[in-house]
Amino acid sequence: MNVQVKKVYRNSYLNIISALFKKLGLPQLIDHLVPVDPQCQTRVSDAVQAIIYNLFDGRQALVHLEHWAQEVDCEKLIRPDLHPSWLNDDALARHLDRLYEADIHKVISTCLIHIYRKEGLSLRAFHADTTDKTVYGAYESASLEALQITHGYNRHHRWQKQIGFGLIGNEDGIPFYGDVHDGNLPDKTWNPEVLSRVHEQLKQAKMEDEWIYVADSAAMTKDTLAQTKAANAFLITRGPSSLRIVKRALAEADSPHIPWSEPFTLAERNGATYRVWETAATYEGHPVRLIVVESSALDQRKGKTLEKERVKEAELLREEQVRWERHPFSCREDAEQALTSLKASLRPRFHRVEAAVEEIVRPKKRRGRPKKGAEPETETLYTLRLNVEFDQQAWEQARRKASRFVLVTTVPKEWKGQPMDAQEILKLYKGQISVEMNFAFLKDPFFTDEIYVKKPERVAVLGYLFLLALAIYRVLQRRVRQFITPEHPLKGAGGRKLTRPTGQAIFQLFQYVNVVLFQLPDGRIQRALDRSLNPDQRRILQGLGMDESIYV
């Protein structure tokens, strides 16, 4: 029998992404939202899948995508009879334009709502934040309504050309709402505007119950509080240290009579310990709960600032000591007066300073050579002597104060039959890490590198496709974590045990899965894996409701 090897595809984990994309019913939904053009050989869903799979394969957005399509098994990944040459630059550009004209924000929002319904995801609390992404092209558009790609300062205070991403996701980090907005839109403007949009999406998802909106300190504004109430939601945010009610709560927390809670942890192991104390206040006519949190893990930036202040204070005290030793006084009265002034001016935070007048008797200097046998004349001078010691207790107290922050919330103390005490509010706020991890994905050059398109409208569409890819990535990660336990972990690189594997760790386990296309004597094509799947790979596929058929 003459069997020939026609092609070898390095499909790796792309087939899992493809199978999940199809199980969620996204190709049909996208083609429903942007109907198929009979004059085109490809559908919008083909272009969306090609761009997303290309993104997951670590390529730059829309760079040589047609060439990439020839290297992967497009017929298996996207649909049968799809020729890679159909995914050329002109076809992709037309589909990007059609997505924009169909209202790309609405298309992706509908897809996200669809994912939430299919997965039965929690709609109890949402975490919100924004970030920026650097772009480099000279983008031109005749429309004033197009995405404004502008220069602005990023989160690291660097001047750059950028666009903005806004994300709102549940406690698993799966986006429920996302937008691509102008590069210089401030968070204080974005928060109140987006609340009403999320409320509309919740209505579309047939969910009009109360929910919780968790955001950073930029949400602590009169407009955001008003919009939160109008959206049938409650707010949890971090109170800016400049607010009067926050300053008052932090000052009151220093009182010895404050009933702090017993220390507790939120992490399973090696986590920080916390103490909390709650008070109440009114802000812009809205009653709020203030939760003062003290953490054993000092914020890295605050820790560096404190250390700089301590070193600077020690240097200043040394300089002060040398200065007074070099300039003694001729009379005690002047020295005592200088001592009083010095004590009033010295207010060290991290050191104990004892200052006193010290009397010094020394030979009096005369011009010329002294006479033989003459008794040397002496003089009495007065200097200020400083004894400086590091105050460990004051240092620990300063670190403790620096580790405190205030959460502001409108969540009632009991909600949906569950007590919402200070510890529960802190736990919800700490879930903000999920949206920050999403930004790590959106900025990871492996997934989303430089954007090579000419129009800001196409930049916007690509940005929204990045958000859809992020949702798929998070759904995959969540599904796998549901059946991976500490008792039965996966075996990662170097034999490391994976009990909560990331999407990338899952991808690595399938990195070297190849598919071989054999041409049989009768001309038929048969696919086969180049090697058997290992137990972990089989376990993951089985847990996802898949098998080898996604490859062959």
Side-chain angles (χ1 to χ4, degrees):
M1 181 180 290
N2 186 18
V3 178
Q4 295 181 341
V5 175
K6 185 176 182 181
K7 192 85 174 179
V8 178
Y9 290 120
R10 185 193 57 80
N11 278 17
S12 62
Y13 50 83
L14 293 182
N15 292 66
I16 300 175
I17 299 294
S18 168
L20 180 57
F21 198 88
K22 292 168 183 172
K23 277 178 174 288
L24 291 170
L26 292 175
Q28 298 90 330
L29 177 60
I30 291 169
D31 287 335
H32 172 72
L33 296 169
V34 190
V36 177
D37 187 339
Q39 293 183 334
C40 289
Q41 293 174 303
T42 53
R43 310 164 184 168
V44 170
S45 64
D46 298 336
V48 169
Q49 287 181 85
I51 292 170
I52 288 178
Y53 303 156
N54 176 254
L55 178 152
F56 277 115
D57 205 21
R59 307 302 179 99
Q60 293 173 320
L62 297 187
V63 177
H64 309 304
L65 194 144
E66 181 184 350
H67 177 71
W68 166 84
Q70 294 172 356
E71 298 175 0
V72 298
D73 194 354
C74 277
E75 291 192 5
K76 194 68 178 174
L77 290 176
I78 301 176
R79 63 178 172 90
D81 302 323
L82 179 69
H83 198 278
S85 64
W86 297 350
L87 298 170
N88 55 61
D89 290 349
D90 291 337
L92 292 172
R94 283 195 299 271
H95 287 312
L96 290 177
D97 291 341
R98 293 185 67 215
L99 279 164
Y100 185 82
E101 291 163 5
D103 189 349
I104 182 61
H105 177 79
K106 183 179 178 181
V107 171
I108 299 302
S109 295
T110 304
C111 289
L112 295 179
I113 292 170
H114 179 77
I115 289 172
Y116 264 70
R117 284 175 176 161
K118 291 282 285 187
E119 294 294 295
L121 297 172
S122 169
L123 298 168
R124 171 175 172 261
F126 290 105
H127 298 269
D129 205 353
T130 65
T131 192
D132 48 68
K133 181 169 180 61
T134 306
V135 291
Y136 301 97
Y139 307 99
E140 298 179 0
S141 174
S143 172
L144 295 176
E145 297 179 359
L147 177 69
Q148 297 301 304
I149 302 173
T150 59
H151 280 88
Y153 287 102
N154 69 1
R155 296 298 192 273
H156 303 289
H157 307 290
R158 295 193 186 103
W159 183 253
Q160 63 179 20
K161 184 180 284 188
Q162 61 189 22
I163 59 175
F165 281 108
L167 265 183
I168 296 177
N170 72 350
E171 295 162 87
D172 290 313
I174 299 173
F176 178 75
Y177 171 92
D179 62 36
V180 182
H181 54 252
D182 297 349
N184 56 3
L185 180 69
D187 285 4
K188 288 185 177 181
T189 303
W190 181 82
N191 274 295
E193 288 180 355
V194 81
L195 273 160
S196 59
R197 297 177 198 163
V198 176
H199 187 42
E200 287 302 316
Q201 283 196 196
L202 286 167
K203 285 182 179 179
Q204 192 177 341
K206 309 297 183 187
M207 192 280 188
E208 298 186 48
D209 201 359
E210 295 176 333
W211 53 288
I212 296 174
Y213 183 76
V214 187
D216 63 12
S217 58
M220 191 58 195
T221 65
K222 180 181 179 180
D223 289 343
T224 304
L225 281 166
Q227 282 295 332
T228 304
K229 191 173 182 179
N232 200 26
F234 299 106
L235 176 68
I236 298 176
T237 185
R238 185 162 176 162
S241 56
S242 58
L243 278 187
R244 187 178 302 169
I245 58 173
V246 172
K247 289 179 180 178
R248 190 183 303 128
L250 288 171
E252 194 175 346
D254 280 333
S255 303
H257 66 274
I258 291 300
W260 286 94
S261 72
E262 290 298 316
F264 61 90
T265 61
L266 298 177
E268 294 180 2
R269 59 179 182 177
N270 301 328
T273 59
Y274 300 95
R275 294 195 307 158
V276 291
W277 168 68
E278 181 176 337
T279 184
T282 301
Y283 179 75
E284 298 288 356
H286 297 272
V288 293
R289 297 165 61 191
L290 301 178
I291 297 165
V292 183
V293 182
E294 183 180 286
S295 170
S296 64
L298 183 64
D299 180 87
Q300 191 174 10
R301 287 175 298 177
K302 288 183 177 179
K304 286 182 178 179
T305 301
L306 269 184
E307 183 61 26
K308 285 180 181 178
E309 290 178 6
R310 185 193 66 78
V311 171
K312 185 177 180 180
E313 183 178 279
E315 289 176 354
L316 288 174
L317 288 172
R318 278 196 297 270
E319 291 172 4
E320 197 76 11
Q321 189 169 3
V322 171
R323 182 167 76 89
W324 289 112
E325 287 177 354
R326 287 180 177 174
H327 299 86
F329 295 89
S330 300
C331 70
R332 179 176 288 276
E333 185 179 3
D334 290 346
E336 295 284 359
Q337 188 175 350
L339 177 63
T340 303
S341 178
L342 176 63
K343 285 182 176 180
S345 64
L346 285 179
R347 286 190 172 86
R349 291 183 64 193
F350 313 116
H351 296 83
R352 286 190 295 269
V353 180
E354 294 181 2
V357 175
E358 187 174 288
E359 183 179 298
I360 300 174
V361 179
R362 68 181 186 184
K364 191 173 184 179
K365 292 183 179 180
R366 292 284 188 181
R367 294 181 63 184
R369 180 178 297 178
K371 293 180 181 180
K372 189 176 181 181
E375 289 289 330
E377 292 186 53
T378 60
E379 62 179 349
T380 302
L381 299 175
Y382 303 90
T383 186
L384 301 187
R385 181 72 63 186
L386 274 66
N387 182 25
V388 179
E389 289 183 4
F390 177 62
D391 190 340
Q392 184 68 34
Q393 186 176 354
W395 172 250
E396 293 298 333
Q397 186 178 6
R399 285 178 60 85
R400 191 164 57 250
K401 284 186 178 181
S403 69
R404 291 175 184 168
F405 58 92
V406 177
L407 296 180
V408 183
T409 182
T410 59
V411 178
K413 292 193 174 184
E414 185 171 332
W415 182 58
K416 294 186 176 181
Q418 177 185 353
M420 301 298 289
D421 57 12
Q423 185 171 334
E424 183 64 22
I425 298 298
L426 175 62
K427 183 179 178 181
L428 281 170
Y429 178 76
K430 283 294 179 180
Q432 196 72 352
I433 186 67
S434 62
V435 74
E436 292 167 5
M437 293 299 292
N438 284 341
F439 291 152
F441 174 94
L442 290 175
K443 293 189 172 187
D444 190 334
F446 179 84
F447 295 123
T448 58
D449 207 345
E450 298 175 18
I451 296 173
Y452 292 96
V453 289
K454 294 180 179 179
K455 298 179 181 179
E457 291 89 346
R458 293 174 184 172
V459 174
V461 174
L462 274 180
Y464 277 103
L465 293 184
F466 292 165
L467 295 178
L468 182 58
L470 169 63
I472 301 299
Y473 178 86
R474 281 296 196 177
V475 167
L476 170 67
Q477 182 175 278
R478 176 182 177 272
R479 282 193 176 192
V480 173
R481 285 180 174 181
Q482 285 179 324
F483 59 83
I484 301 300
T485 64
E487 295 76 23
H488 299 92
L490 292 174
K491 188 176 181 181
R496 186 165 55 96
K497 291 183 179 179
L498 303 175
T499 57
R500 285 181 57 80
T502 63
Q504 282 187 308
I506 298 164
F507 292 166
Q508 286 176 356
L509 293 174
F510 288 85
Q511 188 71 43
Y512 301 106
V513 176
N514 299 317
V515 174
V516 183
L517 261 66
F518 294 102
Q519 187 169 21
L520 304 180
D522 59 3
R524 289 183 297 114
I525 299 297
Q526 183 172 320
R527 290 173 170 80
L529 292 172
D530 67 337
R531 71 195 75 181
S532 298
L533 297 177
N534 64 41
D536 274 348
Q537 291 169 337
R538 291 182 182 279
R539 183 183 171 198
I540 289 172
L541 291 183
Q542 185 177 0
L544 292 171
M546 305 174 190
D547 54 33
E548 288 186 12
S549 64
I550 66 170
Y551 289 100
V552 300

